[in-house]
Amino acid sequence: MNNIPEVIRTIPLDYYLYFSAALFVIGVIGVLTRRNAIVIFMCIELMLNSVNLLLTAMASYRGDTNAQVFVFFIMAVAAAEVTVGLAIIVMTYRNIRSTDVQLLNYLKW
C-alpha cells in the first residue's frame, strides 16, 4: 500500500469501481434500447472504455503495469471494431438509406 502514489490515493478505489460500473450499465442500456446503429456502436465503445478505466485504476493501485498494456490492446481492438462497424453501417446506409437496425431484417434471404 505504500508504493501507491499520493495522487492516486486521494480518490478511493471504490469511486473508480462505481463510476466504471455506471458507465458500463449506461452502455448496456444504450445497446439494448437504441435502434440507431451509430448510437449502438457508441454505447459499445462506452462499455469498452469503462472496462479500460477500471483496469487502469486497478493497475495503478496494485503498482502493476501489465493491465495497462492490456488496456492498450483493448483500445487497438476497439479501433478495429469501429472501423469495420462503420464500414458496415455506411454500406447498409447506401443500400437501405437508414441506420435503423430493425430494417436489417430486410437484408435476409
Side-chain angles (χ1 to χ4, degrees):
M1 190 76 171
N2 293 334
N3 60 355
I4 300 172
E6 183 65 34
V7 175
I8 296 176
R9 274 191 273 168
T10 57
I11 300 174
L13 186 60
D14 295 344
Y15 291 171
Y16 288 110
L17 180 66
Y18 298 144
F19 183 62
S20 179
L23 285 177
F24 193 82
V25 167
I26 290 170
V28 168
I29 291 171
V31 166
L32 295 177
T33 60
R34 299 295 177 167
R35 291 173 42 179
N36 190 345
I38 295 173
V39 175
I40 290 173
F41 276 112
M42 288 173 51
C43 291
I44 291 171
E45 289 296 319
L46 186 65
M47 290 189 297
L48 287 172
N49 284 331
S50 71
V51 171
N52 286 341
L53 172 70
L54 189 60
L55 277 172
T56 305
M58 291 289 190
S60 297
Y61 268 83
R62 289 190 56 191
D64 188 19
T65 59
N66 292 335
Q68 293 176 358
V69 173
F70 191 61
V71 165
F72 177 73
F73 286 118
I74 291 174
M75 291 175 113
V77 168
E81 176 251 337
V82 166
T83 304
V84 171
L86 286 178
I88 291 170
I89 290 171
V90 167
M91 292 306 295
T92 304
Y93 184 77
R94 285 184 183 173
N95 289 333
I96 61 175
R97 296 283 182 219
S98 177
T99 58
D100 188 4
V101 292
Q102 297 295 327
L103 295 176
L104 292 179
N105 287 332
Y106 298 127
L107 296 178
K108 291 182 181 178
W109 289 75

